[in-house]
Amino acid sequence: MDLSIFSPGRVTPESVIFSFGTVLLDLLSGKHIPPSHALDMIRGKNILLLMDSHLEGNFSTEEATVVFDLASRCLQYEPRERPNTKDLVATIAPLQNKPDVPSYVMLGIPKHEDAPPTPQHPLSPMGDACSRMDLTAIHQILVTTHYKDDEGTNELSFQEWTQQMRDMLEARKRGDLAFRDRDFKAAIDCYSQFIDVGTMVSPTVYARRSLCHLMCDQPDAALRDAMQAQCVYPDWSTAFYMQAVALAKLDMHKDAADMLNEAAALEEKKQRGGRGS
């Protein structure tokens, strides 16, 4: 059994597939189902009874069956029994028999051609740099912040401090030096070595590699890394700020503005908590 699916802070390809299965199940059922109970809930059940009642039967039973079957495969306890990403795409792609439809159209909400909203919360230096897409300023902030936000995201036993661990930390150190010296391609290589080992998960490394990708004009990869940083540290404003910059680079300006506001709100919440302690 793959215990990593219940271990916060550890991200593996198999655990991502498992998480995707829980998202599928939540979307189909309209309920949040604890991952440890997800497979038991759908095993041997009538699909019509499992579907979100708010859909009022307005769905294809055949397609719902395909998606529930996919969710069941993603939720298998043994990692080797779960599909890989190619299998996911091969299963889901044929279900998309209509062109991309914006969510506001699907929900019948009229579209208002408004300019991107201005931030609803005061911006920190990081927030201001991200709102201006000033990659140089973001780089300086990440260099200065170092790894202080990683505290508490990893708990390692004495046995884990092996030669492999030392090699991994050495790769991170080389990545940090390259990042400081603005050798972003080298930093990507070194941080990738650190991440691929998987023994320690660092949101800061994901954020730094995200910026490196932006500096190399790779906004898709930057967005993926920023999202991974959020998976490791869900309330970390920097992960949201980096997503905002990547989304803006992808010309998704409304989503970028929303993400910027969410990041600013998280920062404000953290500051209020700090003053109250």
Side-chain angles (χ1 to χ4, degrees):
M1 180 177 175
D2 181 15
L3 296 178
S4 70
I5 58 178
F6 304 120
S7 303
R10 183 166 179 78
V11 180
T12 65
E14 293 80 11
S15 67
V16 171
I17 296 295
F18 186 92
S19 298
F20 182 73
T22 66
V23 171
L24 282 180
L25 192 55
D26 289 355
L27 289 172
L28 291 167
S29 66
K31 308 179 185 70
H32 176 64
I33 301 165
S36 56
H37 296 86
L39 193 58
D40 292 333
M41 176 180 173
I42 60 177
R43 186 182 285 121
K45 299 290 178 61
N46 187 312
I47 289 176
L48 296 178
L49 296 177
L50 291 171
M51 290 295 292
D52 186 353
S53 59
H54 291 92
L55 294 175
E56 299 179 345
N58 295 318
F59 58 87
S60 164
T61 303
E62 182 180 347
E63 292 182 354
T65 302
V66 172
V67 178
F68 264 114
D69 177 66
L70 180 62
S72 176
R73 290 164 55 204
C74 292
L75 294 168
Q76 294 300 313
Y77 293 123
E78 292 296 334
R80 64 177 178 274
E81 296 178 3
R82 299 175 202 151
N84 56 37
T85 52
K86 289 184 178 179
D87 294 331
L88 296 182
V89 174
T91 302
I92 293 176
L95 302 180
Q96 188 175 359
N97 50 24
K98 297 178 181 178
D100 289 340
V101 179
S103 58
Y104 67 85
V105 173
M106 296 177 64
L107 296 172
I109 300 173
K111 181 182 179 183
H112 298 288
E113 296 290 347
D114 296 329
T118 55
Q120 300 169 357
H121 303 271
L123 294 177
S124 65
M126 181 64 165
D128 178 63
C130 289
S131 70
R132 294 182 289 107
M133 292 194 290
D134 185 341
L135 301 186
T136 300
I138 296 170
H139 172 256
Q140 187 56 48
I141 291 169
L142 289 177
V143 168
T144 304
T145 305
H146 202 53
Y147 285 90
K148 73 173 187 178
D149 290 324
D150 279 18
E151 296 174 7
T153 59
N154 290 281
E155 294 180 6
L156 301 174
S157 65
F158 177 77
Q159 289 79 7
E160 288 179 295
W161 286 96
T162 60
Q163 182 61 44
Q164 184 183 51
M165 174 64 72
R166 289 192 289 271
D167 291 344
M168 184 181 67
L169 292 176
E170 180 62 29
R172 190 182 75 175
K173 182 178 179 181
R174 293 196 305 272
D176 290 340
L177 292 173
F179 184 79
R180 184 196 65 188
D181 294 338
R182 302 177 62 83
D183 186 352
F184 298 113
K185 289 184 178 179
I188 289 173
D189 291 340
C190 294
Y191 286 145
S192 297
Q193 292 174 31
F194 173 87
I195 289 169
D196 290 345
V197 173
T199 306
M200 180 187 289
V201 181
S202 166
T204 296
V205 166
Y206 278 117
R208 287 183 168 209
R209 195 173 71 168
S210 176
L211 179 64
C212 291
H213 284 305
L214 287 171
M215 290 290 194
C216 295
D217 197 25
Q218 300 167 347
D220 287 302
L223 181 60
R224 286 195 296 271
D225 272 351
M227 292 172 69
Q228 288 284 18
Q230 182 190 347
C231 287
V232 178
Y233 190 168
D235 295 328
W236 192 34
S237 59
T238 297
F240 288 80
Y241 278 134
M242 294 308 301
Q243 289 179 61
V245 179
L247 288 166
K249 288 288 187 180
L250 291 166
D251 292 327
M252 301 172 67
H253 297 291
K254 176 65 169 60
D255 293 325
D258 291 342
M259 195 64 67
L260 192 71
N261 277 323
E262 195 162 349
L266 282 172
E267 272 192 326
E268 190 176 4
K269 179 180 177 182
K270 183 177 180 180
Q271 291 170 359
R272 286 201 307 268
R275 287 196 294 267
S277 61

